[in-house]
């Protein structure tokens, strides 16, 4: 990829690139398309239930919803995150359960990566915390991205692959070839390798191949979530 290339950002062109799973399996040089991650992360221990979107963006409010026994209505539910450095759970949000036991707590994430979160009912019973249901979520950094492909098919990328309609990958100005990066867009996720250099326009940090854009339902320059696979 060179700074002289032009981006194609026409939705109609991208729609024509949608391919069945069998076609993606023929991709060479990049990752293979897989099923998107589940939209929701949910857990229950019978007494407490909690759910939230499996993915989220750093700095964007995230809501945890759930329920406890109606007889415990009015009690405080604490949302906690496990801190790997200290090996302890730390409170990140609180909510008072309604009369029917339902609750909703909001938290604004401050770091990216995979995280463990649980819901605990404030109670004098010491066993309550150990029974708190736990969910796993992944938080992404916000980034501007574009996509490319038409007009460049058949050419070799900066990392040596032959660009085609089924090649799943992404371009970045400096990340080493082969670096795995996960992207989140409107609830869908895809993990692909860095295969090219760019982008050079539209203030973007990432440039998805057309196949990767199709997997995300990504049609034009926009903000999405990005997370390098080994990020903590």
């Amino acid at each position: 990829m060179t700074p002289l290339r032009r981006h194609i950002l026409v939705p109609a062109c991208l729609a024509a690139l949608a391919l069945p799973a069998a076609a993606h399996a023929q991709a060479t040089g990049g990752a293979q398309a897989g099923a998107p991650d589940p939209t929701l992360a949910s857990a229950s221990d019978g007494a407490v239930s909690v759910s939230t979107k499996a993915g989220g963006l750093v700095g964007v409010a995230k809501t945890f919803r759930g329920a406890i026994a109606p007889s415990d209505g009015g009690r405080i539910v604490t949302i906690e995150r496990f801190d790997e450095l200290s090996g302890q759970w730390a409170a990140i949000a609180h909510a008072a359960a309604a009369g029917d036991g339902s609750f909703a707590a909001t938290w604004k994430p401050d770091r990216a990566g995979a995280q463990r979160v649980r819901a605990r009912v404030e109670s004098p019973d010491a066993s309550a915390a150990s029974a708190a249901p736990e969910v796993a979520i992944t938080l992404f950094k916000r980034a501007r991205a574009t996509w490319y492909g038409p007009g460049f098919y058949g050419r070799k990328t900066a990392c040596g692959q032959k660009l085609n309609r089924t090649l799943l990958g992404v371009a970045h100005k400096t990340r080493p070839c082969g670096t795995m990066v996960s992207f989140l867009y409107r609830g869908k996720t895809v993990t692909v390798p860095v295969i090219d250099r760019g982008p050079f326009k539209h203030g973007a940090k990432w440039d998805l191949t057309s196949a990767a854009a199709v997997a995300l339902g990504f049609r034009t320059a926009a903000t999405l979530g990005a997370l390098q696979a080994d990020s903590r």
Side-chain angles (χ1 to χ4, degrees):
M1 184 184 305
T2 68
L4 297 179
R5 75 172 193 191
R6 298 175 60 190
H7 287 75
I8 308 298
L9 299 174
V10 182
C13 292
L14 183 56
L17 299 176
L19 299 171
H24 284 292
Q26 298 173 5
T28 59
Q32 300 304 315
D37 290 346
T39 301
L40 292 177
S42 303
S44 174
D45 65 4
V48 183
S49 65
V50 62
S51 68
T52 188
K53 290 183 178 180
L57 299 176
V58 172
V60 177
K62 188 172 185 58
T63 300
F64 297 84
R65 302 182 186 279
I68 62 177
S71 58
D72 289 332
R75 282 193 172 180
I76 300 299
V77 177
T78 298
I79 305 299
E80 299 177 325
R81 174 178 61 188
F82 186 73
D83 188 328
E84 293 185 355
L85 293 179
S86 66
Q88 298 181 338
W89 290 92
I92 55 175
H94 303 275
D100 62 356
S102 63
F103 68 85
T106 301
W107 166 58
K108 185 176 289 188
D110 57 358
R111 69 182 72 167
Q115 302 193 27
R116 296 166 56 192
V117 181
R118 72 181 185 182
R120 179 176 61 81
V121 181
E122 296 293 347
S123 169
D125 183 356
S127 65
S130 62
E134 178 183 325
V135 295
I137 61 175
T138 302
L139 301 172
F140 298 74
K141 296 179 180 179
R142 300 178 69 182
R144 189 75 173 169
T146 50
W147 70 272
Y148 74 107
F152 297 93
Y153 296 138
R155 301 184 186 182
K156 279 195 173 183
T157 69
C159 298
Q161 294 91 339
K162 185 177 180 179
L163 186 64
N164 57 43
R165 293 173 181 268
T166 62
L167 183 67
L168 287 160
V170 67
H172 189 271
K173 291 181 181 178
T174 60
R175 296 286 171 89
C177 294
T179 300
M180 299 303 294
V181 185
S182 296
F183 295 95
L184 169 73
Y185 184 67
R186 296 183 178 179
K188 293 183 177 180
T189 61
V190 66
T191 301
V192 298
V194 171
I195 63 166
D196 212 344
R197 291 290 168 243
F200 302 101
K201 293 184 178 181
H202 306 287
K205 183 175 182 179
W206 303 96
D207 206 7
L208 299 162
T209 63
S210 56
V214 167
L216 282 176
F218 184 79
R219 294 178 175 273
T220 186
T223 297
L224 42 62
L227 180 67
Q228 188 168 316
D230 60 357
S231 295
R232 293 291 185 270

